[in-house]
Amino acid sequence: MQKSYAAYSTEDSIRLRSSSGGFFSLCSEYVLQKGGVIYGVTMSKDCYTAEYIRVDSANDLKKLCGSKYLQANLGRTFQSVKKDLENDLVVLFSGTGCYVNGLETFLSKKYDNLICIDVVCHGVPSPKLWREYAKFQESKHGKLEQINFRAKEEGWKKFGMKENHLYIPREKDPFMNMFLDDFCLRPSCYKCRAKKYRLSDISIADFWGIEKVTPEMNDGMGTSLIIVRTEKGQKLFDSINEKLNWKEVDYNEAIRENPAEYRSAIRPLQRDTFFSDLQSRSFNFMIRKYAPDTKKIRLRNLWRKAKRIVKKLCGGGVIPKTNSNYGIFFIFQS
């Protein structure tokens, strides 16, 4: 079975601390209320790495909120999951598709008390790149105490990073640019097997392009795309949907602007050079070479496109209008 939904929590406080619509938080709360446990990813105390932890208290759920654009250290997580399952605890395991598939392979049998949620994944960036970037920021601002990869203060669709009191929009952050340009992904991410062979009960993602599919579900605070893949996943969705604003949507329309659901990232020609430079060059060099001011580049390209459109419009004109959040150009025909 497979069903797709646009959904977000009815509680704004849950949405604000979540990357998208707060669906994972509601699932976690439900499992804890049933006496179960959650396995998910948090940042290490020094903010240099991401790691799996076991959560059995609602007070610790906040540690799992939000995306971590980093490969997580598993440690003995799979063994711990198996022990909890054998002790008849309900276990909710969350992670990228490859981690979910890895867990299912490790267990080698099906457990009715295991629920797996995977995050639709663009790819996993290099831990070394993040560590070097964190140290680069520390050299300018002091010790890093907390990191939020998807701070919503400037609006969901312009997600950025928040290092202590420093907010850097996505389009200006060098780590995010290198990540989204696919320079720093693991080799396996360019041929991801989990795209074609998923073992999760539910997949969650940002609902990119929601304004074209179901605009009434888009208020700018974040909406989750929920893809239910099993009856177990549907049962979980039905158990919490009273705490959601939700609408069933067509799968093909829902994933149209989220190709990470079905397609691997394309390996850049410069990837090997990128990692060679990362080993031997300064981070300032990496920024200059691999993360130029993409906002200026995008604005320049948009301007060129606008001029081409104007040529086709009789009596038309272009008025550039700057906006700190969007950098929009207005086009009109008189």
Side-chain angles (χ1 to χ4, degrees):
M1 67 164 297
Q2 182 167 287
K3 290 187 176 182
S4 303
Y5 304 92
Y8 58 81
S9 171
T10 57
E11 293 187 34
D12 288 348
S13 59
I14 292 178
R15 295 175 76 189
L16 287 173
R17 69 171 183 254
S18 305
S19 291
S20 291
F23 179 78
F24 173 71
S25 291
L26 293 176
C27 291
S28 299
E29 290 176 358
Y30 175 79
V31 170
L32 290 179
Q33 290 168 3
K34 297 296 182 181
V37 297
I38 317 298
Y39 285 87
V41 177
T42 190
M43 292 300 291
S44 61
K45 188 175 181 180
D46 61 10
C47 297
Y48 288 170
T49 59
E51 56 194 22
Y52 265 88
I53 60 171
R54 178 184 186 272
V55 169
D56 58 11
S57 167
N59 293 332
D60 291 329
L61 274 182
K62 61 182 180 180
K63 297 178 181 179
L64 306 182
C65 289
S67 300
K68 289 87 180 175
Y69 295 122
L70 202 59
Q71 182 179 358
N73 295 327
L74 276 167
R76 294 186 59 81
T77 297
F78 286 179
Q79 291 86 343
S80 180
V81 169
K82 184 174 183 178
K83 181 179 178 180
D84 283 336
L85 292 171
E86 296 291 344
N87 288 331
D88 294 325
L89 291 176
V90 176
V91 174
L92 173 59
F93 179 88
S94 67
T96 57
C98 55
Y99 274 16
V100 170
N101 288 7
L103 172 63
E104 293 280 7
T105 302
F106 171 82
L107 294 173
S108 71
K109 75 171 190 177
K110 294 294 184 181
Y111 288 86
D112 292 336
N113 51 327
L114 173 64
I115 304 168
C116 290
I117 296 180
D118 81 281
V119 180
V120 173
C121 178
H122 170 80
V124 179
S126 160
K128 178 178 175 58
L129 176 65
W130 167 253
R131 189 167 55 251
E132 293 300 317
Y133 180 56
K135 291 179 179 179
F136 171 76
Q137 290 291 359
E138 286 180 334
S139 69
K140 299 187 294 180
H141 304 289
K143 183 70 182 76
L144 187 60
E145 294 182 357
Q146 187 177 354
I147 184 73
N148 182 346
F149 288 90
R150 288 288 295 269
K152 287 185 175 180
E153 282 84 344
E154 297 298 319
W156 175 61
K157 291 188 70 176
K158 283 289 178 180
F159 68 85
M161 302 175 67
K162 181 183 178 182
E163 292 111 350
N164 287 339
H165 297 92
L166 174 66
Y167 177 82
I168 309 176
R170 174 190 63 176
E171 65 270 15
K172 291 186 177 180
D173 187 87
F175 174 81
M176 291 301 298
N177 282 314
M178 294 176 200
F179 167 47
L180 294 174
D181 285 340
D182 303 330
F183 289 121
C184 58
L185 307 184
R186 291 180 55 82
S188 56
C189 294
Y190 302 112
K191 294 183 179 179
C192 177
R193 296 181 179 181
K195 302 292 184 190
K196 298 181 179 179
Y197 183 63
R198 275 197 171 89
L199 297 177
S200 56
D201 299 295
I202 295 176
S203 297
I204 57 177
D206 301 312
F207 205 132
W208 299 117
I210 188 172
E211 67 278 0
K212 300 175 184 177
V213 180
T214 175
E216 67 275 15
M217 291 291 292
N218 178 33
D219 62 1
M221 289 182 60
T223 304
S224 299
L225 168 60
I226 314 300
I227 303 173
V228 176
R229 303 187 186 276
T230 67
E231 292 183 2
K232 190 190 300 183
Q234 188 65 52
K235 184 177 179 180
L236 176 61
F237 181 87
D238 293 341
S239 296
I240 67 168
N241 66 16
E242 63 181 16
K243 296 183 178 181
L244 292 166
N245 287 321
W246 61 276
K247 180 180 179 180
E248 187 170 358
V249 294
D250 178 78
Y251 170 78
N252 291 318
E253 290 185 359
I255 66 169
R256 185 169 294 137
E257 295 194 22
N258 199 335
E261 153 69 4
Y262 57 88
R263 187 175 68 205
S264 298
I266 297 174
R267 182 184 178 115
L269 295 175
Q270 308 99 311
R271 183 186 181 277
D272 291 343
T273 304
F274 174 90
F275 277 97
S276 177
D277 288 337
L278 183 61
Q279 292 289 344
S280 59
R281 298 283 193 161
S282 69
F283 207 86
N284 272 320
F285 175 88
M286 299 297 293
I287 293 174
R288 290 194 302 270
K289 185 172 181 179
Y290 298 102
D293 192 339
T294 54
K295 187 172 184 180
K296 289 182 180 179
I297 293 173
R298 290 169 184 167
L299 286 173
R300 185 177 67 235
N301 291 340
L302 185 57
W303 174 253
R304 289 173 177 172
K305 182 178 180 180
K307 289 195 294 184
R308 289 196 299 269
I309 294 174
V310 169
K311 290 180 180 179
K312 299 180 181 180
L313 300 175
C314 178
V318 179
I319 298 178
K321 181 174 181 179
T322 60
N323 182 288
S324 60
N325 288 330
Y326 302 100
I328 299 175
F329 283 90
F330 280 82
I331 304 176
F332 69 95
Q333 183 174 3
S334 59

